[in-house]
Amino acid sequence: FSSAAAVVRAQVQQEPSVETPEGTAVSISCSHPNMRSAEYVQWYRQFPGRGPERLEFIHKGFKELRDPPGRLSVAEDRRSSSLWLQHPRLSDAATYYCARG
């Protein structure tokens, strides 16, 4: 891969995968240690065979999510964030991404 891609990849870090039984809450973490003051944390999900869709973006604090039901939160120091899914269903199975911007 190109060096530019390597730089972009270094901006956020996520665990490779998370599994949970249907209906059991799960939290997905993201680390972004070098956030600039004006940047937002953005979370996306991507279903197999489809393009990514933005779930929500947040500067700090937390936001409730309607679909999928849950909460997006950013740590006080803005070095990490998490996506908490309250009652994940089989239909919520997807790849979830965080990004800075």
Side-chain angles (χ1 to χ4, degrees):
F1 55 84
S2 71
S3 59
V7 170
V8 170
R9 285 182 185 169
Q11 303 300 306
V12 298
Q13 295 180 339
Q14 291 179 259
E15 60 250 82
S17 66
V18 176
E19 293 184 16
T20 186
E22 188 172 19
T24 302
V26 66
S27 183
I28 305 168
S29 300
C30 179
S31 173
H32 31 79
N34 302 310
M35 289 284 289
R36 296 186 186 98
S37 59
E39 285 185 310
Y40 282 74
V41 180
Q42 302 172 47
W43 278 83
Y44 296 82
R45 74 174 167 185
Q46 185 172 12
F47 293 106
R50 293 168 57 182
E53 61 179 73
R54 188 166 72 184
L55 292 175
E56 190 58 83
F57 62 95
I58 184 172
H59 188 256
K60 59 183 177 180
F62 66 89
K63 282 188 177 181
E64 299 293 332
L65 297 179
R66 199 173 290 161
D67 181 30
R71 176 183 286 186
L72 176 59
S73 61
V74 174
E76 191 69 33
D77 63 8
R78 303 189 66 235
R79 295 170 62 89
S80 63
S81 62
S82 62
L83 173 64
W84 179 72
L85 303 179
Q86 186 174 10
H87 300 293
R89 303 173 304 257
L90 194 57
S91 59
D92 293 319
T95 301
Y96 291 81
Y97 301 97
C98 66
R100 292 169 45 181

